[in-house]
Amino acid sequence: MSKVPEDKPPVDLGKRIEEVLKRHGIRAEKRHVDRFIKNISPISHVLSPQLLEALVLENLTIGESYFFRDIQTFDKLRKVLKEKPSWNVLSIGCSRGEEVYSTAIVCNEVGVECRIKGIDVNFQRITQARKGCYQFWSVRFLSKEDIERYFNIVDGQYCIKDVYKKNVEFIQGNILDTGTEIFGTKEKFDIIFIRRVLLYIDNLEPVIHKISSLLKDNGFLILGAGEYFPEVLEHFTPAFADVGTFYRKIKLKHDETHKHKGFLSKTRSEKTKINSQLDTRAEPSDSSREYTQQKVQHQPKELEIVNLLKKTIDGIDLEERIKLIEEYIAKKAYNRAYELIKESCTKYPTSYVLWKYRTLVELENSDLESAKNSLQRAIFLNSADDEIWQLKHALDFRTKFK
């Protein structure tokens, strides 16, 4: 068997990877895919379709998390759980299980019974979740007392105590798989977490429809802080006026279904306009302010969600803001990233990372004068960051040939 040159991957390798990502509804950054192709190209000629698929899922799916991520969400969850004595919970894209075990801890402390299932396409992460042992990175925001309460320290790892593993199950799979029924035909959930997952899915409608079908009437959908998808409003409505991560399933009567679909069709373009308003970085003119004020009475739900998103963003810490900014930049949603960056720079003016990303986005938007000012702040705050000097080189080049 002839050896495939190491510096020239097979012409169909990228296509094979693309087919795996499409089959699982996963969106991966091009730079991650290119790096993955470079790494596996020397052995790609001996990879079976099954092994290639496993490698794609291991290397190109999202996996970073930590305990009690989006603390506002878990504070609200504590209050919600008091409504009844037992709950059936699903965590989609559960990664290594931090979200599942955080939920189990809250259930235990509130004193309610919870059956919790976590599902993820990545077999290695599901294996880690079942083991329930973590590095310090996953528990870094917990106090010493909380760590001692929730974990046993074994060989330098933080292993979740058995009491929090009760009624917890982890499943490798994709909720859109049609070949097998993952949960059983009659199983319904009271709460479904799907945080930092929808950002990476191209076709949202079948995913949201499936989630709605898995939820009980009036069940809760929980998104990540700062996430907003107009498609969600076709099945869900904001559950609370003070946090933008909780949505409740809309219960439709049989004779209301057609009417509801007509309403959704009519308002979808309006929701898109609201979403576009979130992306714009220009300050509204006096006339546009007046127009917006006139539209308030016609778009209460959408404007309510905009306000909820702002409240939620205000409550998250610097690290969460940076992660959300990075996700927006990865999606090339520069206008939305810029709004969050500007607001975050006001709240955290000494964070060099924010000023670095501000420079990057201003470069992308060809706002060179603003980029110069932001770059000066970034250099002053941390002149040792190589990426800052790369941005300076790019800015100097753009300015020279302007």
Side-chain angles (χ1 to χ4, degrees), residues 218-244:
N218 294 320
F220 292 98
L221 170 67
I222 301 178
L223 301 179
E227 291 187 274
Y228 169 66
F229 307 97
E231 296 88 344
V232 168
L233 299 179
E234 299 192 7
H235 297 274
F236 301 91
T237 188
F240 303 101
D242 57 345
V243 63

Side-chain angles (χ1 to χ4, degrees), residues 173-382:
N174 187 324
I175 62 163
L176 293 181
D177 286 346
T178 56
T180 58
E181 186 61 50
I182 296 176
F183 305 116
T185 56
K186 295 183 179 180
E187 183 164 17
K188 297 282 187 178
F189 297 91
D190 300 290
I191 298 172
I192 293 181
F193 286 84
I194 183 163
R195 304 190 300 165
R196 302 297 195 272
V197 174
L198 296 180
L199 283 163
Y200 300 93
I201 296 176
D202 288 315
N203 188 5
L204 288 178
E205 289 191 2
V207 179
I208 294 170
H209 183 271
K210 182 63 178 282
I211 292 170
S212 179
S213 70
L214 288 170
L215 266 176
K216 297 177 183 178
D217 289 339
N218 294 320
F220 292 98
L221 170 67
I222 301 178
L223 301 179
E227 291 187 274
Y228 169 66
F229 307 97
E231 296 88 344
V232 168
L233 299 179
E234 299 192 7
H235 297 274
F236 301 91
T237 188
F240 303 101
D242 57 345
V243 63
T245 56
F246 268 78
Y247 290 79
R248 192 184 286 274
K249 180 178 176 180
I250 299 171
K251 182 180 179 181
L252 296 178
K253 295 180 181 179
H254 212 44
D255 58 352
E256 291 180 338
T257 303
H258 179 73
K259 179 180 177 183
H260 183 67
K261 287 182 178 178
F263 169 77
L264 293 174
S265 176
K266 182 179 179 181
T267 60
R268 182 172 287 141
S269 62
E270 293 181 352
K271 292 171 185 173
T272 302
K273 289 178 184 177
I274 292 293
N275 201 25
S276 299
Q277 289 172 8
L278 286 174
D279 280 346
T280 183
R281 51 175 274 218
E283 290 297 326
S285 64
D286 290 339
S287 59
S288 66
R289 284 194 190 95
E290 182 179 351
Y291 174 76
T292 301
Q293 290 170 358
Q294 293 173 354
K295 294 290 286 182
V296 167
Q297 57 183 335
H298 302 295
Q299 297 176 332
K301 178 177 288 187
E302 288 77 10
L303 293 175
E304 174 189 353
I305 290 169
V306 172
N307 291 330
L308 284 174
L309 287 172
K310 188 178 186 308
K311 289 180 181 178
T312 303
I313 291 296
D314 287 345
I316 63 177
D317 60 22
L318 175 60
E319 182 166 348
E320 274 300 308
R321 287 167 181 262
I322 290 173
K323 288 184 182 301
L324 191 55
I325 289 166
E326 289 172 343
E327 287 166 353
Y328 284 146
I329 290 175
K331 290 179 63 184
K332 300 187 184 302
Y334 297 122
N335 292 334
R336 189 175 294 186
Y338 195 62
E339 284 300 318
L340 181 53
I341 290 170
K342 287 197 298 182
E343 193 269 336
S344 299
C345 284
T346 301
K347 189 170 184 177
Y348 301 97
T350 59
S351 170
Y352 79 91
V353 177
L354 290 175
W355 291 101
K356 177 172 70 174
Y357 285 146
R358 184 164 181 160
T359 305
L360 172 62
V361 174
E362 287 166 343
L363 265 174
E364 291 291 340
N365 289 332
S366 298
D367 186 355
L368 302 187
E369 286 303 315
S370 296
K372 288 179 183 178
N373 294 330
S374 298
L375 182 64
Q376 289 177 356
R377 291 290 295 269
I379 292 174
F380 173 76
L381 291 168
N382 187 1

Side-chain angles (χ1 to χ4, degrees), residues 9 26 28 35 47 64 71 105 114 119 142 145 155 169 185-186 204 207 236 239 253 271 273 314 348 384:
I26 298 168
R35 183 176 60 193
L47 294 178
E64 198 279 336
I71 190 62
I105 289 170
C114 293
I119 182 170
L142 300 183
E145 292 74 21
D155 296 329
E169 179 183 0
T185 56
K186 295 183 179 180
L204 288 178
V207 179
F236 301 91
K253 295 180 181 179
K271 292 171 185 173
K273 289 178 184 177
D314 287 345
Y348 301 97

